[in-house]
Amino acid sequence: LQGLASGKFPLPPVMHNGRYRVAKAEKGLVVVEGDPSPAFLNPMNVIHGGWIATVLDTAMACAAQSVCDIGEGTTTIEFKVNCVRPITEATGKVTAVGEVIQRGRRLATTKATMTDQDGKVLAHGTETSMIFPPE
């Protein structure tokens, strides 16, 4: 995760195509920045909720991964997203901060908040991730 944030590792295709990236990664906290481009506009001329969910899911899932031991992996079991303000092309860069709420032996719960450049909350969510041991 820190390699993604520093640019040491290339972005996975979903991040490249989705125009977002890991900006910061530390134990229990991951910051993701995104560019809501016109490519993600829905028929109502606002950014599609699927893009918002993808960015928030990345922040939350990466936060869960950040508290795993070497070799452990995670996968999203479920997540919920609330979109509280419309996002348009004019919104500019958005930031999603994912944080671990609790990490157990097999599950981790996380939360994330997406804000605009002025700090206004655009969306927020929660997630449960399964932790699986090294094979």
Side-chain angles (χ1 to χ4, degrees), residues 20 32-36 51 55 87-88 91-96 114-117 122:
Y20 66 94
V32 175
E33 295 176 342
D35 177 20
W51 183 84
V55 174
I87 300 174
T88 67
T91 300
K93 182 181 80 174
V94 299
T95 303
M114 179 182 283
T115 57
D116 66 12
Q117 295 175 62
L122 304 170

Side-chain angles (χ1 to χ4, degrees), residues 10-127:
L11 293 177
V14 69
M15 289 183 187
H16 178 74
N17 296 333
R19 297 180 61 160
Y20 66 94
R21 68 181 192 86
V22 174
K24 177 181 178 181
E26 58 188 50
K27 189 171 184 168
L29 182 133
V30 171
V31 177
V32 175
E33 295 176 342
D35 177 20
S37 83
F40 308 116
L41 290 174
N42 67 20
M44 282 66 68
N45 210 33
V46 295
I47 298 300
H48 192 279
W51 183 84
I52 297 165
T54 299
V55 174
L56 286 170
D57 175 46
T58 298
M60 293 183 285
C62 286
Q65 185 66 48
S66 77
V67 295
C68 287
D69 294 330
I70 293 174
E72 287 183 320
T74 63
T75 189
T76 301
I77 295 175
E78 60 81 31
F79 68 98
K80 180 184 185 317
V81 170
N82 292 80
C83 301
V84 297
R85 282 194 172 85
I87 300 174
T88 67
E89 182 182 358
T91 300
K93 182 181 80 174
V94 299
T95 303
V97 178
E99 299 176 83
V100 173
I101 297 170
Q102 193 270 341
R103 196 256 200 230
R105 188 173 56 84
R106 301 291 282 172
L107 299 175
T109 52
T110 54
K111 63 181 179 178
T113 302
M114 179 182 283
T115 57
D116 66 12
Q117 295 175 62
D118 296 325
K120 290 181 185 169
V121 174
L122 304 170
H124 56 88
T126 56
E127 181 164 293

